[in-house]
Amino acid sequence: MWTYPEHFDVIVIGAGHAGCEAAHAAAKMGARTLLLTMNLDTIGKMSCNPAIGGTAKGHIVREIDALGGIMGRIADRTGIQFRMLNASKGPAVWSPRAQSDRAQYAIEMKYELEQLETLTVQQGTIEALQVQDGKITGVSTKEGISYVGKSVIVSAGTFMRGLLHIGETNYSGGRAGDKPSVGLSKQLEDLGLSLGRLKTGTPPRVNKRTINFSVCEEQPSEEYVAFSYDGEKKRLPQISCYITYTSLETKRIIEANIHRSPMYSGAIHSIGPRYCPSIEDKVVRFADKERHQIFLEPEGIRTEEVYVNGISSSLPFDVQYAMLRSIPGLENAQIMRSAYAIEYDYVTSGQLSSTLETRTIEGLYIAGQVNGTTGYEEAAAQGLIAGINATLKLQGKPPFILKRSEAYIGVLIDDIITKELSEPYRMFTSRAEHRLLLRQDNADLRLREYGYQFGLISSEQHARLTAKKDAMEHTITKLRSLHKPVDGKVTQLAKYLSRPDSSYATLTELFPEEIPSHPEDTMFQIELFLRYEGYIKRQIEDAAKLESLDSMKFPSQFDFGSILGLRNEAKEKLMKVSPLTVGQASRITGVSPADISVLMVAIKKDS
């Protein structure tokens, strides 16, 4: 085994969405970083749908961008269709979504990483993690190279002992066409980490030339939707998506062949995502439903592949063929890639701290789908947080832990370390109790200061943020002081903007000498703040009450097992998770309000 001559501060294993963000953050913060991937050509590869964002996921991407991550910028640069989901509802649930050019996204991501001076990108397959006295010291690869590192971030996605299923056929793989990671699972188990098995799946891809779009509903791109606060002005040509539906014949075909699905034949024992079920699961669970919505989504500009969203399956190829041809518009569809399900290992909950560092091995971090989450966005967010925290620890600085009231990323990480996951975790707006505060439009106001502190946001970006905040503050103060005739009645202009039918642009037209014009996003923030001011104030007060529990920290080496009055289930869960605060303990499944009262008394006695 040859030792690589350069030593690293941070080694990142895996170059999916978590690994890319982790490596980018660590390198931008000045850490000497190594990104190791089994295949350089699959950096940033979109294994499933080439889409970024969606309900709540779009919030996460804007938060990643606000903190200085790269997913939003790459998505804007490579998007071929943009939409704002839930636009007919309240602003708390508006969610940007983009269909990306799959190949171009990976190319842009790889190029962006290659430009970082303190980042080394290499192809290599991990054979072992090197640990000494409970602390990570590096990794070794199958290529016979040993790398010395002060910290390691594992972002292995679905590759750990991955097993693909297509009907009665199954074979090992990290995804279709890629080898699995076999040794890493055993290594983690040998280090004392507990692993479980989860399942996810993907639908077939069909040739666009064989689709009859004339019987489908067109979904054109929307012009003013974006993820990045720094404005990627140049866009690729935009392409429409289309909607169709399964038929009664589709349902009949699936029901007649359900015994051939590995999910129902017993070949698959692990649990898949409840909120993104396979088409056979939909037919069984929603037996009274006659049809299911299908989205036909192009995979890129220079490819004929179309992703058939909504028909994820593990049925045999011949059933997939018949099923597709029973769907309006797909009667002559040619399958280019078949659907499949994949089972993989994940690190079960309760083994990580809020920084995503393992509790058993110092300097070892776990991030991404390997933590039991699903989705590129959730993975990227974890990679960003792991990269930041690994670097902060090496710099001797306090950890970066986002509160649930600060970001969807805070909700995500708090959930995956405190809740036992029985299925792949997916983010929804309903998971955030303070979602009016955590809108996708204000992520820069909430989080960009952090990114600036870490060196992930430039002085120029920070100056724009400061100017925006100042403009908002001064303008809102001025609107409260001005009383003007509007619609035949003298009104305080701040109160006028609280009306749902009002707009800041109208005020600039009515009173151009007194009401300053601002960039569109600044005017929008002023409108929303004044319109929802009462609700926002109430949520801030509610968040403060909940945060009082989060401010009550347990003493170091707190012995949960010795606390009298705690139920045995609570003791077991608390000893497993080792929460840092009472608030965190209150969110652990199996810990009751009565248990929290006992803990609060115990803390007071201990202090």
Side-chain angles (χ1 to χ4, degrees):
M1 186 71 66
W2 179 72
T3 301
Y4 194 77
E6 182 181 355
H7 291 191
F8 296 96
D9 297 315
V10 179
I11 298 174
V12 181
I13 300 172
H17 303 282
C20 289
E21 292 289 349
H24 175 267
K28 283 276 284 186
M29 291 173 70
R32 292 166 298 171
T33 307
L34 170 67
L35 177 61
L36 278 174
T37 174
M38 292 198 296
N39 186 348
L40 286 176
D41 295 326
T42 58
I43 290 175
K45 183 176 180 179
M46 293 170 149
S47 307
C48 200
N49 190 359
I52 297 293
T55 301
K57 293 168 177 281
H59 292 67
I60 291 177
V61 181
R62 299 218 85 189
E63 291 178 352
I64 290 169
D65 184 77
L67 288 167
I70 47 178
M71 174 174 269
R73 285 191 283 116
I74 303 296
D76 284 350
R77 208 178 296 164
T78 62
I80 56 177
Q81 196 226 35
F82 293 84
R83 294 182 67 82
M84 183 66 76
L85 305 187
N86 304 320
S88 62
K89 300 178 182 178
V93 296
W94 294 357
S95 300
R97 182 187 188 274
Q99 191 74 16
S100 286
D101 184 303
R102 178 195 298 276
Q104 197 61 36
Y105 185 96
I107 290 169
E108 290 286 338
M109 182 64 76
K110 181 172 183 282
Y111 181 76
E112 185 94 9
L113 294 174
E114 289 171 344
Q115 306 314 302
L116 296 170
E117 290 185 8
T118 57
L119 176 62
T120 300
V121 182
Q122 287 194 4
Q123 186 165 292
T125 302
I126 294 299
E127 185 171 64
L129 301 172
Q130 297 170 353
V131 177
Q132 188 173 352
D133 299 326
K135 186 175 183 178
I136 199 81
T137 58
V139 302
S140 58
T141 68
K142 288 184 177 179
E143 290 78 11
I145 306 170
S146 173
Y147 297 92
V148 176
K150 297 176 183 177
S151 60
V152 171
I153 300 172
V154 174
S155 53
T158 61
F159 278 69
M160 294 200 313
R161 287 196 288 231
L163 183 65
L164 280 67
H165 296 267
I166 304 175
E168 297 89 349
T169 302
N170 61 68
Y171 57 94
S172 296
R175 58 191 163 213
D178 292 317
K179 295 178 181 179
S181 171
V182 179
L184 189 55
S185 288
K186 186 177 186 305
Q187 175 91 55
L188 292 174
E189 288 175 327
D190 290 344
L191 292 174
L193 290 170
S194 174
L195 304 183
R197 293 284 279 178
L198 289 175
K199 166 258 175 189
T200 189
T202 188
R205 278 75 156 177
V206 302
N207 192 313
K208 182 166 64 177
R209 292 185 293 103
T210 64
I211 299 174
N212 178 13
F213 291 109
S214 66
V215 298
C216 305
E217 175 189 341
E218 185 176 6
Q219 266 197 327
S221 181
E222 296 175 2
E223 186 176 354
Y224 298 108
V225 178
F227 291 107
S228 179
Y229 287 94
D230 300 306
E232 293 284 341
K233 303 298 182 186
K234 190 177 179 181
R235 283 194 168 173
L236 295 177
Q238 298 297 285
I239 302 175
S240 291
C241 295
Y242 291 83
I243 297 174
T244 185
Y245 295 86
T246 61
S247 64
L248 285 173
E249 177 63 11
T250 314
K251 184 178 181 181
R252 187 199 65 77
I253 291 168
I254 293 170
E255 289 176 336
N257 291 278
I258 197 71
H259 62 285
R260 300 180 65 194
S261 166
M263 285 181 59
Y264 291 92
S265 68
I268 292 179
H269 300 285
S270 49
I271 300 172
R274 178 187 305 178
Y275 300 105
C276 190
S278 66
I279 187 63
E280 53 263 42
D281 208 17
K282 290 179 186 177
V283 166
V284 171
R285 285 167 52 186
F286 309 108
D288 58 337
K289 198 168 184 177
E290 294 186 355
R291 65 176 192 170
H292 298 275
Q293 193 173 52
I294 303 295
F295 294 89
L296 304 175
E297 300 172 336
E299 297 230 335
I301 293 173
R302 297 185 64 80
T303 179
E304 297 297 317
E305 283 191 77
V306 172
Y307 184 94
V308 188
N309 193 349
I311 198 165
S312 171
S313 179
S314 59
L315 285 161
F317 188 88
D318 60 298
V319 181
Q320 293 182 35
Y321 183 90
M323 177 176 66
L324 275 173
R325 293 192 164 213
S326 68
I327 296 171
L330 301 179
E331 293 88 350
N332 298 304
Q334 293 178 358
I335 298 176
M336 297 181 73
R337 301 185 202 228
S338 64
Y340 64 87
I342 180 169
E343 290 185 284
Y344 57 95
D345 288 346
Y346 79 104
V347 177
T348 57
S349 59
Q351 302 180 86
L352 305 178
S353 71
S354 297
T355 63
L356 297 182
E357 185 178 17
T358 61
R359 298 184 186 279
T360 52
I361 306 298
E362 186 180 355
L364 177 62
Y365 296 76
I366 313 285
Q369 201 159 348
V370 66
N371 279 335
T373 63
T374 182
Y376 309 142
E377 303 82 4
E378 290 94 336
Q382 292 172 64
L384 176 63
I385 297 302
I388 290 172
N389 277 309
T391 308
L392 288 175
K393 183 170 183 175
L394 294 174
Q395 294 172 345
K397 296 178 180 178
F400 178 49
I401 300 171
L402 283 166
K403 301 172 187 173
R404 295 179 71 92
S405 58
E406 286 184 297
Y408 272 85
I409 296 175
V411 175
L412 163 70
I413 293 178
D414 188 66
D415 280 354
I416 64 175
I417 66 170
T418 60
K419 291 177 169 51
E420 290 193 30
L421 304 179
S422 58
E423 62 187 45
Y425 179 97
R426 180 179 180 179
M427 180 55 74
F428 291 97
T429 53
S430 59
R431 294 191 189 273
E433 55 269 44
H434 308 299
R435 55 184 172 273
L436 187 56
L437 303 179
L438 309 182
R439 303 186 310 275
Q440 56 83 30
D441 58 83
N442 68 356
D444 59 335
L445 300 174
R446 293 185 276 118
L447 303 174
R448 189 141 273 199
E449 289 286 353
Y450 289 126
Y452 181 61
Q453 291 172 24
F454 302 143
L456 299 174
I457 294 296
S458 68
S459 297
E460 182 184 349
Q461 291 171 308
H462 186 255
R464 288 199 299 269
L465 173 69
T466 302
K468 180 178 179 178
K469 286 181 174 180
D470 289 345
M472 288 177 60
E473 183 181 345
H474 293 151
T475 304
I476 290 170
T477 300
K478 188 168 189 176
L479 290 170
R480 294 194 197 281
S481 68
L482 289 175
H483 292 72
K484 294 287 182 180
V486 183
D487 298 333
K489 184 180 179 181
V490 175
T491 307
Q492 185 197 75
L493 296 188
K495 288 187 177 178
Y496 163 76
L497 277 185
S498 69
R499 289 160 35 181
D501 58 342
S502 66
S503 75
Y504 191 92
T506 300
L507 290 184
T508 61
E509 293 173 5
L510 290 173
F511 313 106
E513 300 298 322
E514 295 177 277
I515 305 301
S517 181
H518 298 298
E520 190 173 330
D521 64 330
T522 303
M523 294 192 293
F524 182 66
Q525 287 301 313
I526 293 169
E527 284 180 22
L528 283 187
F529 178 81
L530 291 172
R531 191 164 298 156
Y532 294 95
E533 185 175 13
Y535 298 102
I536 291 170
K537 183 179 179 181
R538 193 180 309 161
Q539 282 218 347
I540 291 172
E541 291 171 351
D542 291 343
K545 291 176 184 176
L546 291 173
E547 283 172 20
S548 65
L549 291 180
D550 279 311
S551 66
M552 297 181 65
K553 296 184 177 181
F554 293 109
S556 59
Q557 308 301 319
F558 190 77
D559 185 4
F560 292 102
S562 66
I563 304 300
L564 297 175
L566 276 182
R567 296 173 307 113
N568 288 334
E569 181 187 5
K571 285 183 181 180
E572 182 182 328
K573 297 292 178 64
L574 289 163
M575 290 168 68
K576 179 181 179 182
V577 175
S578 296
L580 299 176
T581 69
V582 174
Q584 202 175 73
S586 70
R587 294 186 290 272
I588 298 173
T589 305
V591 177
S592 71
D595 296 320
I596 296 300
S597 297
V598 172
L599 288 172
M600 291 172 72
V601 171
I603 288 178
K604 288 176 182 176
K605 285 182 179 178
D606 198 84
S607 60

